[in-house]
Amino acid sequence: MNVRENKFNLYLNYSYYQGKDVIDLFIDRAFERDGGRMMQDSYRKRRNYSHYFRTGCDYYLNERTVWGVSLGGNFSRQKENAGMFTEIQEIGVAGNTYSYAEQNRNNLSAGTSMVHKLKREGGELSASFDYFHYYRVGNQLMDSFKPDTLKGDMKGNTDLYVGQIDAVYPLSEVWKLQAGVKTSFVTIDNTAGYMRPSASGWLPDGALGSRFVYDENINASYLQAGYEKDRLKISAGLRLEHTHVHGDFGGNTQLKDSSFTTNYFHLFPTIALQYGLTSEHLFQFSYGRRITRPNYGDLNPFTYIFDDYTHEGGNTKLHPSFSDNIELGYVYRDWFQTVLFFSYTDDAIMKSYREQEERRIYVMPQNLSSYVQTGVRVHAANLSPASFWKVNLTAIGIYNNYGWTEQGQKMKNRMFTPILGCMNQFAFASVWSAELSANYNGRMAYGQATVHPVLEVNIGIQKKMFRNRCTVTLFAKDVFNTNYQKVDIRSPGVQAFVDERHNKRVLGIAFSWRFQKGSDTKESRRKKEINETKRVNL
């Protein structure tokens, strides 16, 4: 809903979701030291409920200045029942593990912003402040055939504060200057506890869980200059960042109390060039250095137990990865584009798989030595084989090369991957339309893992009625149920094959009714993406 009245613009969005998911998982592990083999087959059923809302108001102080406030929230609940059968023939082990897990997530966000357009055409000054609060509480009950009953309780709070100021000032008709500053503060407080049954009741397991507290402050400033005249566009910028991090882990009977503090400064240059040789031929070049920081959950050292043979945890020793990225592109008549790209990443963050005692695999993120990606991307848009038919085609060829050291040995995983996409749009009449799309992702190297090819086909048909006020759409996603994940994993001493089938095939119907045309009343603030929110994976 949007209402624009005089100097006020009010908006409200609300949605509710309820659904069930089914996940089939098969794991085949081969152990090199004794030739043993473990087979696991699991079935998980999830129930999800969520409420989402976003509301706010923009107030036009004058013709040049707009002030806005917003409030949002997402409240979700997930319940999961799972059963896994495990068999190790060599040692005569066979049995079932059953588990029940429940998670509740309550996320809130609030923000305020102001945008002021300068008298000089194209000039603008903006400022904003945002607050995000993430809260998660979960519990787990696992009953294993070993026997090894376990009960876990986890909860976590994340508070994120982000403030920024940006300015755009045209120096002349051909030169433009942009500058800004940004600061963010993150505070995380997570606790986890596990208990096992005894004759006297439930007793804490001191080897699992504890408390983890993490604080992070990032301060950044940037300056960018742009030049545009005739067929030439150039922009160059430099961003300076300072990061301060402090973390405390309460420890347990397996790990001692620990803490860490990190301070670092980094510079990130960018440059982009675009030149139109003629009105039909355009050449592009860009270079940029980027930083990828660990997700907050990946830093959390707690152990999450899937079953007796698969544990997962975070890594407090993770540090950011840095990449240098280059692209060279050519565009013909705005419908054909081809791009050559290359990137080199130091300390890429990927999952690692390590064997522990009793054939247990421990999954945790780690920094790889290097990651090189190179390839070509080709895109053709708005092709028209017939008057009622438009086609968009995408073809990408990627060569991934991962390198790391494991137990003193240099390891590599490198592979060429084709990626293909085709979107077809049909307009049979003024009220009938349809879409048919297909996407294919070839075999791909992904750190220690190799992902098998994936194909997905989607279709949809739409009709407009009642003078185009009503729209009815019938759609089918993943028609042939082929979008599932198969992965080969190679780690020292163990090879594994994972087949995870999360049923993504959907048949649906959508209905919409436009009551009146109204005016275009959107949030006035061109809200920039806040990267820190992407790192919340608790």
Side-chain angles (χ1 to χ4, degrees):
M1 182 185 69
N2 242 133
V3 178
R4 174 70 185 272
E5 186 73 23
N6 298 323
K7 293 186 176 183
F8 287 93
N9 176 37
L10 305 174
Y11 54 90
L12 170 65
N13 184 23
Y14 170 79
S15 64
Y16 173 74
Y17 170 82
Q18 178 177 328
K20 296 180 181 180
D21 293 324
V22 174
I23 303 171
D24 287 307
L25 177 66
F26 172 76
I27 303 175
D28 183 0
R29 295 174 183 167
F31 299 87
E32 297 176 357
R33 70 178 185 275
D34 58 6
R37 193 170 181 179
M38 177 191 298
M39 312 284 283
Q40 292 184 298
D41 198 357
S42 79
Y43 179 84
R44 287 177 285 172
K45 182 182 288 186
R46 290 177 180 169
R47 293 177 174 86
N48 295 283
Y49 313 85
S50 68
H51 299 265
Y52 168 83
F53 78 92
R54 181 171 177 80
T55 185
C57 174
D58 296 323
Y59 178 69
Y60 294 78
L61 299 171
N62 52 54
E63 61 180 8
R64 295 183 179 274
T65 307
V66 182
W67 171 64
V69 293
S70 64
L71 179 68
N74 183 22
F75 308 99
S76 63
R77 185 180 186 185
Q78 182 184 90
K79 298 179 179 181
E80 178 182 283
N81 287 286
M84 175 174 284
F85 176 76
T86 302
E87 182 179 21
I88 310 175
Q89 292 184 350
E90 289 77 12
I91 58 176
V93 171
N96 289 288
T97 298
Y98 299 99
S99 66
Y100 172 80
E102 184 174 334
Q103 288 191 33
N104 292 287
R105 298 173 184 263
N106 298 323
N107 304 329
L108 285 171
S109 65
T112 182
S113 65
M114 183 172 290
V115 178
H116 175 71
K117 295 186 179 296
L118 304 179
K119 291 183 179 180
R120 193 177 186 91
E121 185 68 25
E124 185 178 279
L125 182 65
S126 62
S128 65
F129 175 79
D130 292 277
Y131 168 70
F132 300 87
H133 174 73
Y134 302 90
Y135 174 72
R136 186 197 71 170
V137 59
N139 57 75
Q140 178 187 19
L141 179 63
M142 187 180 72
D143 186 10
S144 175
F145 67 95
K146 293 191 73 173
D148 194 11
T149 302
L150 184 69
K151 182 168 68 174
D153 293 290
M154 293 78 70
K155 65 178 180 179
N157 284 283
T158 301
D159 292 289
L160 170 61
Y161 307 83
V162 182
Q164 60 188 73
I165 300 175
D166 298 281
V168 180
Y169 189 78
L171 299 174
S172 65
E173 293 183 356
V174 296
W175 283 98
K176 182 170 68 174
L177 192 67
Q178 299 181 61
V181 294
K182 177 181 176 181
T183 184
S184 66
F185 293 87
V186 178
T187 300
I188 299 174
D189 189 347
N190 291 336
T191 58
Y194 287 91
M195 305 182 76
R196 298 187 186 276
S198 69
S200 59
W202 290 94
L203 295 178
D205 186 331
L208 301 171
S210 184
R211 184 182 181 189
F212 178 64
V213 179
Y214 177 87
D215 294 288
E216 178 185 88
N217 170 226
I218 302 174
N219 300 297
S221 61
Y222 75 92
L223 182 66
Q224 181 172 307
Y227 173 85
E228 181 177 352
K229 186 176 182 181
D230 299 328
R231 299 174 182 172
L232 179 64
K233 292 182 182 180
I234 301 176
S235 66
L238 188 64
R239 188 173 83 255
L240 172 66
E241 288 192 3
H242 167 255
T243 303
H244 173 80
V245 171
H246 179 76
D248 287 298
F249 173 53
N252 51 44
T253 58
Q254 295 289 328
L255 298 171
K256 296 180 179 179
D257 294 356
S258 63
S259 65
F260 58 92
T261 301
T262 307
N263 276 287
Y264 54 86
F265 284 91
H266 285 286
L267 283 171
F268 301 93
T270 59
I271 185 170
L273 184 149
Q274 180 177 294
Y275 180 71
L277 186 63
T278 66
S279 59
E280 296 183 343
H281 303 276
L282 182 69
F283 293 91
Q284 300 169 328
F285 170 81
S286 66
Y287 163 78
R289 182 167 174 81
R290 299 171 188 167
I291 182 173
T292 302
R293 294 183 172 86
N295 289 333
Y296 302 125
D298 290 343
L299 293 166
N300 192 334
F302 298 161
T303 298
Y304 182 84
I305 300 175
F306 290 93
D307 66 1
D308 296 303
Y309 299 100
T310 305
H311 291 187
E312 184 170 1
N315 182 1
T316 60
K317 297 180 180 180
L318 280 179
H319 43 269
S321 62
F322 297 89
S323 62
D324 294 281
N325 307 274
I326 299 174
E327 288 194 357
L328 179 63
Y330 165 71
V331 180
Y332 176 70
R333 285 189 176 181
D334 293 329
W335 69 268
F336 178 81
Q337 181 186 52
T338 182
V339 177
L340 299 174
F341 56 88
F342 172 85
S343 69
Y344 179 86
T345 304
D346 280 316
D347 298 322
I349 301 172
M350 303 296 295
K351 282 188 176 182
S352 68
Y353 306 83
R354 299 179 181 179
E355 184 185 4
Q356 294 182 325
E357 70 278 359
E358 298 182 357
R359 303 177 188 264
R360 179 185 301 135
I361 297 297
Y362 194 84
V363 184
M364 67 180 295
Q366 71 171 12
N367 292 103
L368 304 188
S369 303
S370 63
Y371 167 44
V372 178
Q373 183 184 82
T374 185
V376 60
R377 181 171 63 248
V378 179
H379 182 65
N382 295 321
L383 304 179
S384 186
S387 60
F388 61 89
W389 181 13
K390 286 188 178 181
V391 182
N392 293 330
L393 299 173
T394 301
I396 305 174
I398 295 177
Y399 179 75
N400 287 333
N401 187 351
Y402 293 90
W404 70 96
T405 301
E406 196 77 51
Q407 296 182 357
Q409 291 184 331
K410 290 187 176 181
M411 312 288 289
K412 284 189 177 295
N413 189 9
R414 49 192 176 184
M415 188 172 299
F416 175 81
T417 303
I419 301 174
L420 304 173
C422 178
M423 166 66 80
N424 299 272
Q425 296 175 313
F426 306 94
F428 300 111
S430 60
V431 296
W432 283 97
S433 61
E435 284 188 2
L436 171 63
S437 67
N439 299 285
Y440 172 79
N441 203 113
R443 193 177 181 89
M444 175 178 285
Y446 194 72
Q448 288 185 350
T450 300
V451 182
H452 288 226
V454 172
L455 172 67
E456 181 176 304
V457 177
N458 308 308
I459 60 174
I461 187 168
Q462 184 179 94
K463 184 181 181 182
K464 295 181 178 180
M465 299 178 290
F466 302 107
R467 297 181 181 179
N468 294 335
R469 286 181 176 270
C470 172
T471 302
V472 179
T473 306
L474 183 67
F475 61 91
K477 181 177 175 61
D478 192 19
V479 177
F480 302 107
N481 198 25
T482 51
N483 187 3
Y484 54 86
Q485 193 174 69
K486 292 183 178 181
V487 181
D488 294 315
I489 299 170
R490 178 182 291 272
S491 63
V494 183
Q495 295 184 43
F497 169 72
V498 179
D499 184 345
E500 185 172 17
R501 304 194 177 215
H502 187 171
N503 194 347
K504 299 179 181 179
R505 182 162 53 181
V506 175
L507 176 66
I509 187 169
F511 171 84
S512 66
W513 183 278
R514 181 169 56 84
F515 291 94
Q516 68 178 56
K517 184 177 180 181
S519 58
D520 189 15
T521 55
K522 300 179 181 179
E523 291 182 68
S524 64
R525 176 186 172 194
R526 292 169 294 180
K527 192 173 184 67
K528 294 185 178 180
E529 203 166 33
I530 298 177
N531 292 326
E532 287 77 8
T533 60
K534 296 180 180 180
R535 298 170 58 199
V536 180
N537 66 332
L538 304 178

